[in-house]
Amino acid sequence: MAIATSLIPGLDELVRGDDPKRRAEAARRIADLFLQGAEGFKPEHVEFFDDVLVGLVPGTELDVRADIAERLAPVANAPQNLVGQLAREDEIGIAGPLLRNSPVLDEKMLVEIASQKDQAHLLAMAERQTLSAGVTDVIVRRGDREVVRRTAGNAGAAFSSSGYSVLIDRAGHDGVLMLTVGQRD
């Protein structure tokens, strides 16, 4: 963030400051600036925005973080540290859009979040377009009935042999899940 503070006068005070309105306004404006040019940014530009936003966004109100997360979710080159930080939030209104859609979240991050967070987070992950076997292993082990059913019904979900065994085991006690598993390719 040293480069960012030298290029943006007053940023350091803003990050450490106590004025949540100024901080929220700055976070929104910088996120807007990123989103307007995201497609053309080089990795070092994205890293610059990441450094700035990681310092600003966590101290903002819930609605600001949720708005930024929603808008960053579909962006292929969204700032990785910020996306990871927001996806790990306990508030599903913030984490959910990223867990459902962000291409920035890799398998390692998803497995980590799936291992630690609640059912709402697992359900959001179950709605991703694709799910690796490593992620589904955690989801079918930790997920409640609704989460496991949604994961089994996700055509883009891959299962390891052990994950599929857990899924079949759970289907033995859940008729809807049994039908869903039976309909999988």
Side-chain angles (χ1 to χ4, degrees):
M1 183 138 124
I3 294 171
T5 55
S6 68
L7 293 175
I8 305 172
L11 180 62
D12 210 24
E13 293 85 40
L14 198 59
V15 170
R16 287 185 277 129
D18 293 332
D19 188 349
K21 287 183 181 181
R22 282 188 62 214
R23 187 183 188 98
E25 183 61 27
R28 276 195 173 117
R29 285 184 177 192
I30 293 169
D32 287 344
L33 186 61
F34 171 77
L35 290 162
Q36 288 170 7
E39 288 181 19
F41 288 144
K42 294 179 180 176
E44 56 269 19
H45 299 135
V46 175
E47 188 177 330
F48 172 81
F49 278 100
D50 203 6
D51 287 346
V52 173
L53 289 167
V54 160
L56 276 177
V57 173
T60 62
E61 297 161 351
L62 187 132
D63 64 321
V64 174
R65 295 191 319 273
D67 176 59
I68 291 172
E70 182 76 41
R71 294 186 309 145
L72 288 176
V75 179
N77 67 334
Q80 188 171 20
N81 293 323
L82 179 64
V83 167
Q85 190 175 52
L86 294 171
R88 289 177 180 91
E89 290 233 12
D90 290 335
E91 178 57 50
I92 195 62
I94 297 167
L98 296 163
L99 295 173
R100 280 184 209 92
N101 300 310
S102 179
V104 173
L105 295 172
D106 61 16
E107 180 180 16
K108 181 180 177 186
M109 240 188 283
L110 289 168
V111 167
E112 174 199 320
I113 294 167
S115 299
Q116 299 171 357
K117 294 298 182 179
D118 63 19
Q119 297 303 308
H121 289 70
L122 295 176
L123 187 60
M125 282 186 217
E127 296 172 359
R128 289 181 72 83
Q129 192 170 9
T130 59
L131 285 167
S132 70
V135 176
T136 60
D137 281 353
V138 177
I139 292 175
V140 298
R141 189 181 74 247
R142 290 196 65 236
D144 64 15
R145 181 176 285 196
E146 182 181 4
V147 168
V148 174
R149 285 176 177 175
R150 185 79 50 94
T151 304
N154 183 336
F159 294 90
S160 68
S161 57
S162 63
Y164 204 73
S165 293
V166 171
L167 193 61
I168 290 171
D169 211 32
R170 290 190 68 168
H173 308 287
D174 181 347
V176 172
L177 181 58
M178 186 178 295
L179 288 172
T180 305
V181 170
Q183 293 173 346
R184 286 192 64 85
D185 287 339

